[in-house]
Amino acid sequence: MSAQLIDGKSIAESLQSEIAAKVEARVAAGHRAPALATLLVGDDPASHVYVRNKRNACVRTGIRSVPLQFGADISQQQLLAEIDRLNADPDIDGILVQLPLPAQIDTTTVIERIRPDKDVDGFHPYNLGRLAQRLPVLRPCTPYGVIEMLKRSGESFYGRRAVVVGASNHVGRPMALELLLAGATATICHRFTRDLADEVARAEIVVAAVGKPGFIRGHWIAPGATVIDIGINRLDNGSLCGDVEFDVARERAAWITPVPGGVGPMTVSMLMQNTLTAAATR
Ligand SMILES: Nc1nc(=O)c2c([nH]1)NC[C@@H]1CN(c3ccc(C(=O)N[C@@H](CCC(=O)O)C(=O)O)cc3)C=[N+]21
């Protein structure tokens, strides 16, 4: 049996239409359009796809995009001064600093400088802490997108065994917190996990967030499982692939997300949602 594909791209598009309607209603009620400032430092080629997709999503939802670009040699102090300016600007609702940053800049210092109520990435310790305490405000876009995608495909979480592979601050950890909030039994696996194949084989929901092409072997997947692939790996031939050995996994899973066209577009839609939320709670 071959798994059903979860069409993240089309779910993300429906979500953007709903966000567009809400933005339009706000504007009709006399508010200005929500505004998102994005700060791109240097030019990491991998950032371009994401930046382009964000720009398109802003156009589709009616969110005002304020793109700011800086040379790779900008000092930390200069970048922090930009954030301070945007923090204080009443016409800006959301601030996103594209990661990774060049080596002279300390990422934690930068993230912690963004006002929590403008932190549309949901990376600030305030927002992660709120999620950990079941009181989410601005939620990290990728994990939030995975939950929204599964809800909209009619999947339930209560009591289900979910295994997240990857324990990063921005994806794996908040993913486990989201699954826990949704009622799943959440396990996080990482580089010191002793028997990864066993952990994955026990999972009814597998979420891969490793950043290594084909790292999750298809034969590990339990028959009938739901497989969510967060990996976005660019191969030498220019194509994108996920962390899951897709062709084998899809013959065992009941539901699986493709790469591209799965979680990536959902991340972008949740960024639009967070920007709208930030504007509405201003
Ligand atoms: N502060 C910050 N926040 C982020 O959320 C963030 C970041 N920095 N740095 C880079 C990563 C990567 N990321 C992507 C999100 C969506 C797609 C995406 O839309 N992918 C599509 C497009 C594929 C294509 O057209 O090639 C897909 O998977 O179908 C890609 C990459 C967000 N990131």
Side-chain angles (χ1 to χ4, degrees), residues 49-50 52-53 97-99 121 123 232 240 260-261 264-265 267-268:
V49 174
Y50 181 40
R52 186 194 63 217
N53 291 354
V97 179
Q98 176 86 10
L99 303 178
D121 260 328
F123 291 166
I232 297 190
L240 282 190
T267 297
V268 177

Side-chain angles (χ1 to χ4, degrees), residues 9 44 46-47 49-54 96-100 121 123 141-142 170 231-232 234 238 240 258-268 271:
K9 188 161 190 274
D44 183 73
S47 294
V49 174
Y50 181 40
V51 169
R52 186 194 63 217
N53 291 354
K54 269 186 312 203
L96 180 144
V97 179
Q98 176 86 10
L99 303 178
D121 260 328
F123 291 166
C141 299
T142 298
H170 298 145
I232 297 190
R234 174 107 21 216
L240 282 190
V259 178
V263 175
M266 290 302 298
T267 297
V268 177
L271 176 65

Side-chain angles (χ1 to χ4, degrees), residues 38 86 165 181 241:
T38 56
L86 295 163
V165 186
L181 181 65
C241 83

